[in-house]
Amino acid sequence: MNCLQNLPRSSVSPLLSFGVNQRDHSSSSLKMLVPIKANDPGKSRLILQAVSDSKSSTEMSGVSKKEEKSDEYSQDMTQAMGAVLTYRHELGMNYNFIRPDLIVGSCLQTPEDVDKLRKIGVKTIFCLQQDPDLEYFGVDIKSIQAYAKQFDDIEHIRCEIRDFDAFDLRMRLPVVMSVLYKAVKRNGGVTYVHCTAGMGRAPAVALTYMYWVQGYKLMEAHKLLMSKRSCFPKLDAIKNATVDILTGLKKKVVTLKLKDKGFSTVEISGLDIGWGQRIPLTLDKGIWSLKRELPEGQFEYKYIIDGEWTHNELEPFIGPNKDGHTNNYAKVVDDPTSVDGATRERLTSEDPELLEDERLKLIQFLETCSEAEV
């Protein structure tokens, strides 16, 4: 069975992309932060002690810059994920055991972090970060990889997924899960899955592994995950990736249109590119239009007219949502009356459950999927 076609990876930093207000947000000044769960009872005391220690002005300047980066990243993450989340890179690696054999955490920052993971039985370090993620926080991934290679009891693997992008997560999950599945079979022991903050991509991958491989119902696994770690995995991406494998990735061309009223520029954000990027529309005979090939599913989007975010009342729209935003949407359906259509409807429901033959089909896919595109 062949792997699903992978999307090209973005070379644009997600953090730069989110420098522009997504949807129709005003300039963000979000300061609502949730605490990172400590991995041991003494960690909070150690953090307080470290802050109270006297430091040189150079050290304090470095800490201040790291804190600013963390604040910016947390704001971007909160906007993109639709949940109030925070990540404090300056406090070092943090993680939670979801199961005795599965950990979800934040990124490794130094080669010494490899030693910390070896001490708790980790055999596979599974990194989902892209180069822009690493560059933003100044993480030297090559030194970490080189250090890990010195040991025969741990393996460092990198499978990239674009940050803040549910569609890229959906499209990348099949091949990423195949690599993870094979690594766990090969290495055994404890697996450490991480992205940057360990709140979006990593929990989604861990959740998918529990769902596809370990026999959990999706919402059962989600409940367990959320009881262990504050995070926000994109469930719709997992559901759609599941169906994409079981029924095949079907696409249709969708056309979006907007009547011109003397606009200078019209762009679209959302759809399959996420809220951090934009696609320009073309003006022809008084109509701004865009043709886009999309896979099955529902895709929200918004128009950006001369820099202003808005929706088109002549196209389907939903909202206001919990954040007060009204978005247009495109729903792509192949044939809802077919067997595949019924499968998609069932497995994208609120509480989907895989049939035994479906789980076996997923396992077969993971075993035979080529890793050439990783």
Side-chain angles (χ1 to χ4, degrees), residues 136-294:
Y136 183 79
F137 282 110
V139 175
D140 183 359
I141 188 70
K142 291 183 179 179
S143 67
I144 294 172
Q145 291 171 322
Y147 187 72
K149 283 184 178 180
Q150 297 180 24
F151 306 99
D152 57 11
D153 62 349
I154 195 166
E155 181 181 11
H156 187 288
I157 299 172
R158 189 174 170 203
C159 278
E160 301 174 31
I161 298 175
R162 189 183 300 131
D163 206 359
F164 309 143
D165 193 331
F167 186 75
D168 193 57
L169 173 64
R170 169 185 175 176
M171 300 304 291
R172 292 282 296 155
L173 266 178
V175 68
V176 168
M177 291 305 303
S178 177
V179 177
L180 176 61
Y181 172 79
K182 293 169 185 173
V184 174
K185 284 188 67 176
R186 180 171 64 249
N187 298 329
V190 181
T191 301
Y192 185 84
V193 182
H194 78 86
C195 45
T196 297
M199 295 181 181
R201 292 166 288 179
V205 167
L207 183 55
T208 306
Y209 185 80
M210 296 166 70
Y211 181 40
W212 290 2
V213 178
Q214 295 185 319
Y216 287 83
K217 292 179 63 176
L218 180 60
M219 298 315 296
E220 176 188 20
H222 182 260
K223 182 178 180 180
L224 175 60
L225 172 70
M226 297 302 291
S227 72
K228 303 290 185 178
R229 185 171 181 84
S230 298
C231 58
F232 197 72
K234 293 291 188 179
L235 293 176
D236 285 346
I238 298 172
K239 294 175 183 179
N240 280 308
T242 305
V243 182
D244 290 343
I245 294 175
L246 295 175
T247 68
L249 187 63
K250 304 178 182 72
K251 294 184 177 182
K252 287 189 174 182
V253 175
V254 172
T255 302
L256 308 180
K257 294 182 179 180
L258 182 71
K259 186 176 180 181
D260 182 45
K261 295 182 180 179
F263 308 135
S264 298
T265 61
V266 177
E267 300 167 303
I268 286 286
S269 187
L271 284 182
D272 58 332
I273 60 169
W275 296 108
Q277 300 183 63
R278 304 178 180 189
I279 305 174
L281 275 68
T282 301
L283 178 61
D284 183 37
K285 298 179 180 179
I287 299 294
W288 294 89
S289 65
L290 171 71
K291 288 187 176 182
R292 192 78 175 172
E293 188 178 52
L294 300 173

Side-chain angles (χ1 to χ4, degrees), residues 307-347:
E308 296 294 325
W309 294 71
T310 187
H311 69 281
N312 181 5
E313 293 189 354
L314 299 181
E315 293 177 329
F317 63 88
I318 54 176
N321 59 22
K322 63 181 181 180
D323 297 320
H325 306 296
T326 300
N327 299 327
N328 289 112
Y329 71 89
K331 190 168 185 177
V332 181
V333 181
D334 182 46
D335 181 2
T337 64
S338 67
V339 174
D340 285 351
T343 298
R344 178 170 289 278
E345 184 72 19
R346 173 171 56 84
L347 292 179

Side-chain angles (χ1 to χ4, degrees), residues 106-143:
S106 63
C107 65
L108 282 71
Q109 299 183 20
T110 67
E112 288 73 23
D113 285 335
V114 175
D115 291 327
K116 297 175 185 177
L117 296 180
R118 291 178 66 224
K119 289 179 180 178
I120 58 173
V122 171
K123 301 298 182 183
T124 302
I125 300 170
F126 202 70
C127 171
L128 302 169
Q129 293 177 287
Q130 291 191 314
D131 288 345
D133 309 331
L134 300 164
E135 292 165 2
Y136 183 79
F137 282 110
V139 175
D140 183 359
I141 188 70
K142 291 183 179 179
S143 67

